[in-house]
Amino acid sequence: MLLFLAISKLFAGIGFFMLGMNFVEDALRKLAGRSFKIFLRKQTNNKLKAIVGGAIVTGVLQSSSIVNLMVLAFVGAGVITMQNALAVILGANIGTTLDSWVVASVGFGFNIEVFSFPLVGIAGIAMALLSKNEKAYHWSKFLFGFGVLFIGLDFMKVSFAGMVQHFDFSTIQHYPAIVFVVVGFAITSIIQSSSAAVAITLSALHVNAITLYSATAIVLGSEVGTTIKLLLASIHGVPAKKRVALGNMIYNSLLIVAVLLALQPINYLLTEIIQFKDQLLALVFFQSFINILGVIIFFPFLNLFEKFLHNRFTEDQSGARYIKLVPAGEGDLALEALDKEAKRFIWYTLDFHLHAFDIKISHPNILAEKHFHEKPFSTKYDVLKLLHGEIHSYYITINKELLNVKELERAEQIISTVRNCMFSAKSVKDSLGDIDQLKNSSSTVKFEVYQNTQHEVEELNNMFVDCLVRTSHEALFEDIVKLYNRVQQGYNEGLNKLYLKKANHELTEVDISTLINFNRELFTSYKAMIWALKDFLLETDQAKYFEELPGFIR
């Protein structure tokens, strides 16, 4: 029973430690998140500055994961090069060891309860009384998280002390180092926090449950385990993101293999030459030492490493398909590629609309675009933005002198199609908060609005699809005009229904305001899709007719 309680306390300690880390990270992000991003971007002019910047930001934020995810976003947006991104990650590996130094120096030297309990109490009360929008709230959250972090550490320390009395750890201390490397990798992969893994190791080392040699092997494993989060975050990203994540894992794996081969000499260095009196400080020195050593050894090879990674994940399924195969200077061939890419963009947009409302997609043309259709909804808008930018860049570089007047008009219609599709998708994206609120509302009226809208979206998208796949363009102009009139009428009828429900006291003032804005945003999206279809499917003179039609606001 006592052993069970000790193990339970260990898990509770891990939970408190990770919760405290999350509170500290979140508070610092809110307090100076943009400042850190700007600083990091400015530090990526060259590799050396990138390493220093990565170390500083990670040292302050105390989360290599946050910094690495920032780097992935920068790479995906083309803000920094892959080589400099790898340099930032090298620096982040050094910066994350600062937390280990704090834990080893403060967490085991005196009674944690003396400062952590009052800190958690005062900061917790302040958080309950303050508004979440106030800076003081985030400072209180930071201090609360800092206190909880050390309470978790105390739990781990006490739990290992209890387990030592009921379990003979000497039986595992003779296992080969590779076993402890796997343990470190497994712990970090599961809890996704190298700081927590090191804290657990320090707690075990503090009560002599493991030797320093075993502890250094566990820390080695945690260095690789922390790369898993970055790999998972890059799975559905652009190839550049995948390359950076792969590079991070390869670097850490090579470092671990090299250090593992020299683990006994390094331990001899720590215990016999430097002669650390405190094993905890020896362990965190080891962690910092191997990361600094890794940077020194690896830095000269960053150029070669970038070239190696550049040949990985060469398929770019998230971007253009047709325009990347035809040079922009090919005149009419370039226009044909642009036309096909725009049609593909329309299918993507329709998929995005249906997915936003959890509508089952059955049309083969949408399902055929597997590389987009099977992506998580959270990444689809980013893909649309990427392709939108690529199409515009291609359009700008087309040699217009090789096109006749009619072809130039067609090129302008195509680019107008893409612009309106993107505007339509953005209107839906801006409505996602309202969509989620309506879908999960306990109010029957609001949930009915969601169901009716869902049905309307499905019907209208079926009409959009019918226009796109029609083999004959006969009566297409009249049908698109009817489609526009239906959308216009639907907007007005939607407003009248909302006014009636408010008059019958079925909606509050906040509800009516939210639903009016939602109604406008949604039907603005429909109008943009109709504008995209008329530019893509109709002749120039027919398409101009729609410019004279009224909008939705009255």
Side-chain angles (χ1 to χ4, degrees):
M1 186 65 181
L2 292 175
L3 179 61
F4 174 77
L5 288 175
I7 295 173
S8 299
K9 202 161 191 174
L10 172 63
F11 280 103
I14 295 171
F16 279 128
F17 189 92
M18 294 180 66
L19 181 65
M21 286 291 294
N22 287 339
F23 271 50
V24 169
E25 291 169 9
D26 187 59
L28 287 172
R29 267 207 308 265
K30 294 285 172 43
L31 287 167
R34 185 171 182 272
S35 301
F36 284 128
K37 287 183 179 179
I38 292 172
F39 173 78
L40 203 55
R41 285 183 63 172
K42 289 180 177 178
Q43 289 295 115
T44 54
N45 296 335
N46 61 64
K47 294 178 289 186
L48 190 58
K49 284 179 66 178
I51 290 174
V52 174
I56 292 173
V57 174
T58 308
V60 176
L61 285 179
Q62 273 313 293
S63 175
S64 59
S65 296
I66 291 178
V67 176
N68 291 344
L69 292 174
M70 275 189 206
V71 170
L72 274 192
F74 289 161
V75 171
V79 174
I80 63 175
T81 65
M82 184 168 59
Q83 187 176 146
N84 287 347
L86 291 170
V88 172
I89 290 174
L90 293 183
N93 289 345
I94 297 173
T96 195
T97 64
L98 178 62
D99 186 60
S100 301
W101 281 102
V102 173
V103 169
S105 303
V106 179
F108 297 90
F110 57 93
N111 189 349
I112 295 175
E113 297 176 0
V114 172
F115 82 92
S116 60
F117 282 5
L119 190 63
V120 168
I122 295 169
I125 292 170
M127 285 175 62
L129 297 177
L130 294 168
S131 168
K132 291 184 178 181
N133 297 322
E134 295 180 58
K135 184 173 284 190
Y137 171 86
H138 297 296
W139 276 115
S140 300
K141 189 173 185 178
F142 169 78
L143 294 173
F144 181 83
F146 196 70
V148 169
L149 185 153
F150 278 100
I151 290 174
L153 180 64
D154 190 54
F155 270 46
M156 285 188 273
K157 183 173 65 175
V158 172
S159 69
F160 271 110
M163 282 190 284
V164 165
Q165 297 177 10
H166 297 88
F167 183 79
D168 185 9
F169 283 92
S170 63
T171 57
I172 65 171
Q173 291 180 2
H174 302 294
Y175 287 178
I178 188 64
V179 173
F180 293 98
V181 170
V182 173
V183 169
F185 172 79
I187 292 173
T188 311
S189 299
I190 293 169
I191 65 179
Q192 279 305 297
S193 172
S194 60
S195 296
V198 173
I200 295 169
T201 309
L202 286 168
S203 300
L205 182 62
H206 177 68
V207 295
N208 296 315
I210 56 175
T211 63
L212 178 61
Y213 181 75
S214 302
T216 54
I218 293 174
V219 169
L220 274 183
S222 73
E223 293 287 324
V224 182
T226 195
T227 66
I228 301 299
K229 182 183 285 188
L230 203 61
L231 281 174
L232 293 175
S234 69
I235 287 176
H236 299 289
V238 295
K241 287 186 176 183
K242 295 177 183 178
R243 292 176 194 133
V244 170
L246 176 63
N248 181 43
M249 192 186 77
I250 291 175
Y251 161 73
N252 279 281
S253 300
L254 290 175
L255 177 64
I256 287 356
V257 171
V259 174
L260 183 59
L261 294 174
L263 195 57
Q264 286 186 333
I266 292 175
N267 269 265
Y268 181 81
L269 171 71
L270 297 174
T271 56
E272 301 299 328
I273 298 177
I274 302 178
Q275 294 183 347
F276 275 101
K277 293 181 180 180
D278 188 335
Q279 286 193 322
L280 303 183
L281 294 180
L283 182 61
V284 294
F285 176 85
F286 166 81
Q287 186 188 18
S288 299
F289 172 74
I290 63 170
N291 280 296
I292 294 172
L293 185 65
V295 170
I296 293 171
I297 295 173
F298 199 73
F299 184 79
F301 301 102
L302 272 176
N303 289 340
L304 289 174
F305 195 45
E306 181 188 32
K307 290 178 182 178
F308 165 77
L309 291 172
H310 193 72
N311 295 323
R312 312 276 83 78
F313 306 110
T314 52
E315 77 290 352
D316 190 350
Q317 296 183 329
S318 62
R321 176 186 299 168
Y322 300 105
I323 58 178
K324 68 181 180 182
L325 300 176
V326 181
E330 291 291 332
D332 57 341
L333 289 177
L335 183 62
E336 185 178 343
L338 191 67
D339 191 287
K340 290 181 178 179
E341 205 70 71
K343 189 168 187 178
R344 180 168 168 250
F345 195 78
I346 296 173
W347 289 119
Y348 278 14
T349 309
L350 296 179
D351 183 309
F352 182 76
H353 287 176
L354 295 169
H355 201 156
F357 284 90
D358 293 330
I359 298 170
K360 186 177 180 180
I361 300 172
S362 58
H363 198 278
N365 291 69
I366 297 178
L367 296 175
E369 299 289 348
K370 288 185 178 180
H371 45 275
F372 183 82
H373 176 67
E374 294 176 357
K375 286 184 179 296
F377 180 72
S378 58
T379 65
K380 284 186 175 180
Y381 186 75
D382 290 335
V383 174
L384 284 172
K385 285 205 302 182
L386 172 64
L387 184 53
H388 178 249
E390 288 178 337
I391 291 173
H392 271 79
S393 296
Y394 187 81
Y395 167 76
I396 292 168
T397 55
I398 285 179
N399 189 344
K400 309 296 192 299
E401 294 179 0
L402 298 178
L403 303 178
N404 58 39
V405 174
K406 191 171 183 179
E407 287 171 335
L408 283 172
E409 288 179 348
R410 179 57 186 164
E412 290 175 4
Q413 281 185 277
I414 291 172
I415 207 65
S416 176
T417 295
V418 175
R419 279 199 304 267
N420 279 297
C421 280
M422 193 69 236
F423 182 67
S424 178
K426 187 180 186 306
S427 294
V428 170
K429 176 183 174 290
D430 291 343
S431 303
L432 289 178
D434 292 333
I435 293 170
D436 187 62
Q437 184 190 71
L438 295 173
K439 180 171 63 175
N440 297 297
S441 177
S442 59
S443 165
T444 303
V445 175
K446 290 164 75 175
F447 185 68
E448 283 179 358
V449 170
Y450 171 75
Q451 287 183 312
N452 292 336
T453 304
Q454 190 182 40
H455 179 70
E456 184 75 13
V457 169
E458 186 170 15
E459 279 197 352
L460 285 172
N461 273 272
N462 286 335
M463 294 178 184
F464 295 152
V465 168
D466 179 63
C467 292
L468 276 171
V469 300
R470 190 177 301 184
T471 54
S472 171
H473 281 201
E474 185 178 348
L476 186 59
F477 171 76
E478 289 81 2
D479 286 346
I480 295 180
V481 171
K482 289 177 183 177
L483 189 57
Y484 169 85
N485 290 331
R486 168 173 174 161
V487 169
Q488 174 71 67
Q489 183 181 354
Y491 173 75
N492 294 330
E493 288 178 354
L495 277 181
N496 291 331
K497 287 178 182 177
L498 291 176
Y499 293 151
L500 181 61
K501 290 183 184 297
K502 179 65 181 78
N504 293 333
H505 305 290
E506 296 178 69
L507 294 171
T508 66
E509 283 76 7
V510 174
D511 288 339
I512 190 69
S513 176
T514 299
L515 291 173
I516 287 173
N517 288 327
F518 173 66
N519 193 44
R520 179 181 180 278
E521 199 74 64
L522 195 61
F523 283 96
T524 300
S525 172
Y526 293 156
K527 179 185 174 183
M529 276 308 300
I530 293 171
W531 254 235
L533 289 175
K534 62 94 176 172
D535 281 327
F536 190 74
L537 297 173
L538 300 178
E539 297 294 330
T540 306
D541 292 340
Q542 292 178 318
K544 285 182 179 179
Y545 166 79
F546 288 80
E547 296 174 6
E548 302 172 4
L549 296 176
F552 296 116
I553 302 174
R554 68 174 190 180

